[in-house]
Amino acid sequence: MSYSEPKTLFEKIWSRHEILTRDDGVSLLSIDRHLCHEGSFHAFDKLKMENRTVRCPELTVAIADHYVSTSFPEKGNEVEALRVPIEKLEINSKDAGIRLYGVGSNEQGIVHVVGPEQGLTIPGITLVCGDSHTATHGAFGCLAFGIGASEVAHVLATQTLWQTKPKTMRININGSLSDGVVAKDIILHLISVIGANGASGHMIEYAGSTIRGLSMEGRMTICNMSIEAGGRAGMVEPDQKTFDYLKGRKHAPKFKDWDLAIEDWKTLATEPGATFDKEVTVNAEKIAPSLTWGNSPEETLPVTGYIPIPEDEADISKREALQSTLEYMGLAPGQKITDISIDRVFIGSCTNSRIEDLRSAARIAQGKKALVPAIIVPGSTLIKEQAEAEGLDKLFTDAGFEWRSTGCSMCVGMNGDITPPGERCASTSNRNFKGRQGPGSRTHLMSPAMAAAAAITGRVTDARDFG
Amino acid sequence: MEAFRKLASIAAPIQVANIDTDQIIPARFLKTPRSTDHGQFLFHDMRRGKDGNLSEEFILNQKEFKTSGILVADNNFGCGSSRESAVYALHDAGIKCVIAPSFGDIFYTNSLKNGLLPIKLDRSIVQAIWKALASANSSEVEVDLENQTIHLPNGSTYDFEIDPFRKQCLLEGLDDIDLTLKYQESIEQHELSEETNYPWTRSID
């Protein structure tokens, strides 16, 4: 037996999918799963123009989420112009023979929530989608990353992708989380430490006792925001929690395949002694409930913090950038974070819309009254049904929150759900970019519990103090 | 795809870090088909003041820079959403090259698929280019992909790196789907072995 270098989870999946590597170092990778949403119309248009067909429609699943109205889902969207992309998805998938979880389907929801929920996302595979938050699926120990329209067309036509092997980065998160600190706080804190391009060009593996201790939902929240740290993908090694989550899911392997798959999945973990191009270690015990104050996810502070003061910044260009951010966000230098008033609240998105997220928001909202408009948008139709079976819908509506249908909603600002200009939104989504939630909108990213607490008090609130 | 060989054009410095694709093209324009001119959406909200009118403060609104074909940007340009419309908007507005210290990964790939050359340079070099543009009489910069060089109006020249595969695709305007289909046999062989070894990965029941 020849000695071989210890391998990482990523290297094992990569080499398994490498069809060929050119002399110039670029590899052709086989793709096992392709998820499409409404934005795929550009790729389908390109195929049509070039007279090409979809090579493996059986490995592609189309799911409507970006343009679906959360108030009138039965029509797709009440606004005709916003209905068009949904209809295009329906037509394109029908023409190509692609399975569609469209409007009205019981399986419909946000693509990155539906994939795992339906057992489409499994360890060891390559999974792509024309959406940057595809890294979410990496929580299951697969290689999942977002691609643009040209690459979507390439996958549709060939079921492969040309990729240059990314560098690898292991982020070790160890220690027990303090009470009231959740996965969202970990990832926001981490991005503030390594920066919005801290993982640029890298594939991240999240490891350590804190990650192992998280639920699958928590791991998904972490992997989801890998792109906000600049990472191409994020992944966690599969373990018993992964297998337990997947067992019996609609599209998960069954019978003999399930046993064979489990046997294989147990061999995927990074081996002791395997090396990464970069390693970062974070002490989980030091993480506090956190939120963003600026327009980049790296602009994150603990809820106990204060807005930075431009005059303290020595670098002129950084000082000017900070001044401009504070002006856009309507914040005063040195302001106490918990003095920031909130105009509306959004609990949803592929980052935080799963049942665990809704339960955590519900614990805060129970028996209280929201002071500002607040919407709850479950990540999928199934999660909505589960939450309703648990009585969460009633709990939320009694507390003055609006209970909506599933979709990308106010995370993406393209389906009718927006934050009006100048308004400040406490949001459980993933991007606090200028205008992300609507032109002129001001976003503060935080966990579901913190967003629910903000709804009750009308200002940024430490959910830990909230009895 | 449109080929890229050489470009001599006005270069506009945009000294703001983390310009995300939502700023390059806001989400509400993403439903627009490719056949529509996307140049009208480029930096749509960023280039307008609170009154909704074009602001002279934004460099591409200034007379001298209206015809810019090159942007010299800061860290993490094109971060965020995978929307290829961000590249369509730059392309249709006549911008065929972006120079920056780092890029959003997906934006970088999307650019190469649309004949737009993204050039990564050390931030110190990008700063030197900003400085040179501010002090020279002309803002015309020449980018030569074949030789991987950038020539500034003050006479200085910088080399840049690019992956040889992407360089070839850009120089020849190659569509990589055609290229991939030439490997059909290897693809099929590989799929067969995946189906044999890991059958649960190659079907969705």
Side-chain angles (χ1 to χ4, degrees), chain A residues 17-233:
Chain A
H17 292 86
E18 214 166 30
I19 299 166
L20 57 96
T21 304
R22 289 163 46 111
D23 294 342
D24 53 24
V26 180
S27 297
L28 188 63
L29 287 191
S30 75
I31 302 299
D32 297 324
R33 298 280 186 279
H34 181 198
L35 306 178
C36 284
H37 59 81
E38 299 96 307
S40 60
F41 75 87
H42 280 300
F44 282 102
D45 285 352
K46 181 172 150 70
L47 290 194
K48 258 173 250 164
M49 230 163 60
E50 297 170 4
N51 247 331
R52 301 186 199 273
T53 53
V54 178
R55 182 148 177 277
C56 301
E58 72 282 5
L59 296 180
T60 313
V61 178
I63 300 163
D65 60 4
H66 279 61
Y67 287 91
V68 178
S69 162
T70 59
S71 306
F72 303 94
E74 58 287 344
K75 285 187 185 169
N77 199 300
E78 63 276 31
V79 179
E80 196 184 338
L82 300 178
R83 207 153 56 222
V84 173
I86 302 173
E87 289 165 356
K88 283 185 182 171
L89 182 73
E90 290 167 359
I91 295 166
N92 286 329
S93 39
K94 187 162 171 271
D95 288 352
I98 290 169
R99 192 190 310 257
L100 169 73
Y101 292 145
V103 171
S105 144
N106 206 42
E107 291 88 349
Q108 184 257 338
I110 305 172
V111 58
H112 308 311
V113 175
V114 170
E117 184 177 79
Q118 296 296 329
L120 292 162
T121 308
I122 52 175
I125 58 168
T126 48
L127 182 152
V128 296
C129 172
D131 188 279
S132 58
H133 290 109
T134 307
T136 314
H137 306 262
F140 289 79
C142 59
L143 176 57
F145 53 94
I147 54 179
S150 295
E151 290 197 313
V152 170
H154 191 279
V155 173
L156 287 171
T158 68
Q159 204 61 28
T160 68
L161 264 185
W162 291 103
Q163 291 287 301
T164 307
K165 199 172 185 175
K167 291 183 182 159
T168 55
M169 177 181 209
R170 179 159 57 188
I171 299 179
N172 306 289
I173 306 173
N174 292 305
S176 311
L177 292 170
S178 312
D179 282 346
V181 177
V182 292
K184 185 62 163 285
D185 302 310
I186 299 176
I187 188 66
L188 287 176
H189 171 78
L190 177 72
I191 297 165
S192 76
V193 172
I194 68 170
N197 64 347
S200 178
H202 288 72
M203 216 304 308
I204 305 171
E205 179 173 339
Y206 299 98
S209 63
T210 318
I211 297 294
R212 282 198 299 279
L214 289 176
S215 65
M216 290 312 295
E217 282 85 353
R219 293 177 189 179
M220 283 189 259
T221 298
I222 304 251
C223 288
N224 173 273
M225 290 189 71
S226 299
I227 185 88
E228 269 63 61
R232 282 194 69 79

Side-chain angles (χ1 to χ4, degrees), chain A residues 30 33 149-150 154 162 251, chain B residues 84 105 180 191 194 201 204-205:
Chain A
S30 75
R33 298 280 186 279
S150 295
H154 191 279
W162 291 103
H251 296 300
Chain B
E84 201 158 307
D105 274 344
T180 307
E191 284 174 348
E194 256 201 85
T201 65
I204 301 175
D205 287 334

Side-chain angles (χ1 to χ4, degrees), chain A residues 253-398:
Chain A
K254 303 220 163 47
F255 310 114
K256 188 167 157 263
D257 270 353
W258 173 258
D259 297 332
L260 289 171
I262 291 278
E263 209 176 298
D264 175 55
W265 294 346
K266 286 182 176 166
T267 69
L268 289 171
T270 293
E271 291 157 13
T275 54
F276 290 78
D277 296 302
K278 240 187 206 179
E279 295 241 20
V280 173
T281 298
V282 174
N283 180 355
E285 286 159 23
K286 293 201 170 150
I287 303 174
S290 301
L291 68 150
T292 64
W293 53 268
N295 298 122
S296 166
E298 69 187 18
E299 291 166 334
T300 288
L301 280 169
V303 66
T304 49
Y306 294 82
I307 297 299
I309 298 168
E311 284 67 33
D312 293 348
E313 181 62 64
D315 181 302
I316 294 178
S317 69
K318 282 187 184 163
R319 191 187 311 151
E320 284 173 1
L322 178 52
Q323 275 160 344
S324 146
T325 301
L326 295 188
E327 191 189 334
Y328 181 85
M329 291 299 292
L331 296 170
Q335 188 176 354
K336 197 164 186 264
I337 295 260
T338 45
D339 285 343
I340 299 172
S341 65
I342 292 292
D343 300 308
R344 62 182 57 232
V345 170
F346 167 58
I347 296 176
S349 88
C350 57
T351 313
N352 282 124
S353 62
R354 297 176 181 86
I355 191 71
E356 182 180 291
D357 301 317
L358 304 188
R359 287 178 190 146
S360 133
R363 278 194 288 275
I364 300 287
Q366 186 163 26
K368 308 280 194 325
K369 275 286 174 207
L371 267 187
V372 296
I375 63 171
I376 312 270
V377 183
S380 71
T381 307
L382 288 186
I383 290 171
K384 180 167 187 266
E385 284 174 5
Q386 186 181 353
E388 287 169 358
E390 294 179 15
L392 300 188
D393 57 328
K394 175 117 196 342
L395 185 157
F396 281 123
T397 49
D398 285 351

